[in-house]
Amino acid sequence: MRQQGNAARKEKTVSYIEGNTVRKLQPDPARRSEETHREFKEKQRLDREQRERKRTLRAAARRNQEKALQMSPGYVLFLAAAMLVMVGVTGVYLKLQSELTTRIRHVASLKSEVMNLKTDNDAEQKRIDTSVDLEAIRQKATGELGMIYPGKDQIIYFEVDSSDYMNQYQDIPVK
């Protein structure tokens, strides 16, 4: 009897394996209970429902794609009109941009021309200033034309404010 008891104990301990190659134990199919069977059936039903849901979603997506690919004549006309408006706006924009560039170049050439004229005027003024001999003019005015320098009592001084010029509203008084 002892041997039979040991044999039963060995069967229980034989199922344990040491090391890194431990296998998963398979449950005995005869021991499957009603609860396990119910869980299995429930899982199968949920999987079936999920597949059916996916199938209906795919069909709906396919219908939506087909509907989206179809364009009605009104939609085509709308797209054509929108495209024409966009092309028109782009054309007007490019035309305005071109005019702006042309005007900027014209203004730059006018500025250059003004600078050249100012330089020419300054050079001409310098030439005129250096060509006039002020000493010869004084000699001719005092000698031939009878000009006399003013005396100290004939000179009237006035102060000029911050402006560069003065408006004269009446004659300067004589002393």
Side-chain angles (χ1 to χ4, degrees):
M1 288 233 252
R2 256 187 164 165
Q3 287 179 343
Q4 289 176 352
N6 282 342
R9 195 180 311 170
K10 282 186 180 178
E11 284 181 20
K12 289 181 183 177
T13 59
V14 171
S15 64
Y16 182 76
I17 302 173
E18 289 187 33
N20 61 358
T21 59
V22 176
R23 295 184 211 117
K24 289 185 178 179
L25 295 177
Q26 297 295 327
D28 188 12
R31 289 185 167 183
R32 179 177 287 178
S33 68
E34 186 66 31
E35 184 179 316
T36 309
H37 183 67
R38 236 182 285 124
E39 288 176 4
F40 179 72
K41 289 292 187 184
E42 182 67 23
K43 185 175 184 233
Q44 282 181 338
R45 186 184 61 78
L46 290 175
D47 287 346
R48 198 175 322 113
E49 286 177 1
Q50 192 175 20
R51 276 184 270 142
E52 187 63 32
R53 230 180 288 127
K54 283 183 182 179
R55 189 178 306 121
T56 56
L57 287 175
R58 281 192 204 119
R62 192 176 311 114
R63 281 192 305 270
N64 287 342
Q65 285 176 348
E66 289 171 0
K67 209 183 265 186
L69 291 176
Q70 295 174 355
M71 289 195 270
S72 67
Y75 185 65
V76 171
L77 285 175
F78 170 74
L79 286 179
M83 189 63 101
L84 287 175
V85 167
M86 186 179 73
V87 167
V89 167
T90 304
V92 168
Y93 174 76
L94 290 175
K95 181 180 177 240
L96 290 174
Q97 193 71 19
S98 172
E99 287 178 5
L100 178 67
T101 303
T102 304
R103 288 181 183 179
I104 288 173
R105 287 182 183 156
H106 183 66
V107 167
S109 69
L110 289 176
K111 281 183 179 180
S112 175
E113 186 178 337
V114 166
M115 288 300 292
N116 288 339
L117 290 174
K118 280 185 179 180
T119 304
D120 291 346
N121 283 346
D122 289 346
E124 196 63 30
Q125 184 67 38
K126 194 65 127 175
R127 187 187 65 76
I128 289 171
D129 289 346
T130 57
S131 69
V132 175
D133 185 16
L134 294 178
E135 188 59 33
I137 292 174
R138 188 182 65 77
Q139 289 287 339
K140 189 168 188 165
T142 54
E144 294 177 20
L145 301 175
M147 182 183 96
I148 301 172
Y149 281 106
K152 293 223 184 251
D153 58 341
Q154 293 177 324
I155 299 174
I156 300 174
Y157 293 100
F158 62 91
E159 288 186 28
V160 178
D161 290 336
S162 63
S163 61
D164 292 331
Y165 62 93
M166 179 176 101
N167 293 330
Q168 181 177 346
Y169 297 108
Q170 59 183 354
D171 291 335
I172 296 175
V174 178
K175 275 193 173 181

